[in-house]
Amino acid sequence: MKFYIVLGFPIALAACGAVTEPQAPTRLAAAATPEATHSHASSPSLLTGYAARAIKGPASWRELNERQSPDHKGAHE
């Protein structure tokens, strides 16, 4: 019974709303009219900037941080 109340309430509210006419086709967006032409967006190459790297095991995280950080050598010593 609760299921019907949940569905019936929005339907009853929608039935009480004002009915409006759809807009004229001349006011629609250009993409909605079949006579309009459109250009396709160019997609970038998926592999741009790809560099192959060899697979290797886990390394020292401290060495990795030192290589990626700006010149902070000796700061932790």
Side-chain angles (χ1 to χ4, degrees):
M1 183 65 181
K2 292 179 185 179
F3 185 68
Y4 294 117
I5 294 172
V6 170
L7 287 178
F9 189 67
I11 293 172
L13 287 178
C16 295
V19 178
T20 59
E21 292 293 322
Q23 291 195 6
T26 55
R27 296 207 50 201
L28 295 177
T33 58
E35 296 86 21
T37 59
H38 59 279
S39 61
H40 295 282
S42 61
S43 59
S45 176
L46 296 177
L47 298 177
T48 301
Y50 172 75
R53 294 183 178 89
I55 299 172
K56 53 185 177 178
S60 168
W61 61 269
R62 193 175 297 260
E63 289 176 19
L64 178 64
N65 288 346
E66 289 296 326
R67 281 186 287 158
Q68 292 180 353
S69 65
D71 193 17
H72 289 289
K73 295 189 184 219
H76 65 279
E77 294 174 0

